[in-house]
């Protein structure tokens, strides 16, 4: 039985004061109770220490939004997986469509980053998803499978992995695929994982849906078979909305 994961991708938002306010709101909303899912926040790198300090000892986990594929060295401006781990992270988002478009990240780079994350003891959250043109062209499953094949590291024993299916056209747009469309892609990802990893290992991988998930649509999206949680952008910046989505897992 996979425990659902609700992950907040804060993107390039927040300063120490607003981040503190947001996390305090989350913790007050939880009021010491165990949430009905695993909760994760992924703030910008410079806020990891502030946020990590506030959530230490709570059910909320910490994650990064990207890491470099190399262990260390001359990579000005970059952050290694070991640095994220050292800052208290358990997860790192990799290959988000905004990284793929803003920074030209291709599948092989995402694969190197995912390998580095695993080596450092982090669980990579590898993002895949089609553009509007690819969906209109009937290529959604082909695109997603190609991204999986190119972006995932070689399988290894005991490897912890999360996949996030995020249709590019649904991110920040207020539009979402139908429940049937989401179910079709998630089932295809699960079948692909089964072929690659074997049934048991594939069954342990959580497949998140991301793209305009909100309190109003979370319950139905989270009820779709093989949707094991959500990767939440905009709605993760309001404690009330993020908690409402978490409660929709119950
Ligand atoms: P959104 O972003 O929830 O604002 O659509 C999701 C994401 O990009 O991870």
């Amino acid at each position: 039985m996979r425990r659902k994961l609700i992950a907040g991708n804060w993107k390039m938002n927040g300063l120490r004061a607003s981040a503190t306010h947001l996390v305090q709101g989350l913790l007050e909303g939880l009021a010491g109770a165990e949430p009905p899912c695993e909760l994760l926040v992924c703030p910008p790198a410079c806020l990891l220490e502030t946020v990590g300090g506030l959530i230490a000892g709570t059910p909320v986990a910490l994650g990064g939004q990207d890491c470099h594929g190399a262990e260390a060295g001359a990579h000005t401006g970059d952050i290694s997986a070991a640095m994220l781990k050292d800052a208290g992270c358990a997860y790192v988002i990799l290959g988000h469509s905004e990284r793929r478009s803003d920074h030209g990240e291709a599948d092989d780079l995402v694969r190197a980053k995912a390998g580095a994350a695993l080596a450092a003891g982090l669980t990579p959250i590898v993002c895949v998803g089609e553009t509007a043109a690819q969906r209109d062209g009937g290529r959604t499953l082909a695109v997603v499978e190609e991204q999986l094949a190119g972006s995932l590291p070689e399988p290894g024993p005991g490897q912890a992995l999360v996949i996030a299916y995020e249709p590019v056209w649904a991110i920040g747009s207020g539009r979402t695929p139908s429940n049937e469309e989401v179910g079709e892609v998630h089932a295809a990802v699960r079948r692909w994982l089964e072929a690659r990893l074997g049934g048991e290992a594939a069954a342990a991988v959580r497949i998140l849906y991301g793209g305009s998930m909100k309190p109003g649509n979370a319950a139905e999206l989270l009820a779709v078979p093989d949707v094991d949680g959500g990767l939440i952008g905009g709605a993760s910046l309001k404690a009330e909305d993020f908690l409402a989505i978490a409660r929709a897992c119950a």
Side-chain angles (χ1 to χ4, degrees):
M1 188 56 191
R2 293 178 295 271
R3 187 158 190 240
K4 283 191 169 35
L5 170 64
I6 298 297
N9 174 10
W10 291 8
K11 311 192 179 185
M12 196 172 72
N13 292 294
L15 299 172
R16 277 183 300 168
S18 59
T20 300
H21 182 73
L22 173 52
V23 173
Q24 282 170 345
L26 286 178
L27 298 179
E28 278 163 26
L30 289 172
E34 190 63 30
C37 59
E38 196 178 331
L39 279 178
L40 169 66
V41 290
C42 301
C46 57
L47 293 175
L48 286 172
E49 192 173 345
T50 301
V51 172
L54 292 166
I55 63 178
T58 76
V60 185
L62 190 66
Q65 296 180 12
D66 179 47
C67 71
H68 199 276
E71 234 172 86
H75 301 288
T76 302
D78 277 310
I79 290 175
S80 74
M83 290 171 188
L84 292 178
K85 179 80 179 170
D86 189 49
C89 291
Y91 292 89
V92 58
I93 300 168
L94 294 173
H96 189 281
S97 67
E98 287 151 15
R99 300 285 319 168
R100 291 179 187 262
S101 62
D102 292 359
H103 298 271
E105 292 193 6
D107 289 340
D108 55 349
L109 184 68
V110 178
R111 187 210 305 252
K113 292 177 176 209
L118 288 168
L122 296 174
T123 299
I125 301 175
V126 177
C127 303
V128 295
E130 82 287 359
T131 62
Q134 288 165 336
R135 176 164 282 275
D136 292 344
R139 294 176 46 223
T140 298
L141 296 185
V143 166
V144 165
E145 286 171 8
E146 190 187 317
Q147 288 177 331
L148 289 171
S151 306
L152 294 185
E154 285 306 309
Q159 219 173 55
L161 199 60
V162 176
I163 309 291
Y165 167 56
E166 298 206 307
V168 177
W169 52 273
I171 295 174
S173 68
R175 295 193 300 138
T176 57
S178 68
N179 297 339
E180 291 70 32
E181 288 167 335
V182 170
E184 184 190 20
V185 178
H186 280 242
V189 172
R190 183 76 62 202
R191 280 196 304 273
W192 189 92
L193 290 169
E194 281 164 0
R196 162 108 162 192
L197 305 174
E200 201 179 321
V205 177
R206 286 177 292 186
I207 308 171
L208 312 184
Y209 169 78
S212 298
M213 194 187 271
K214 304 262 184 300
N217 61 18
E220 51 175 312
L221 285 165
L222 290 165
V224 172
D226 280 310
V227 173
D228 304 310
L231 182 55
I232 323 295
S236 73
L237 298 173
K238 280 194 197 146
E240 212 176 287
D241 287 357
F242 192 59
L243 289 171
I245 293 171
R247 280 193 291 272
C249 289

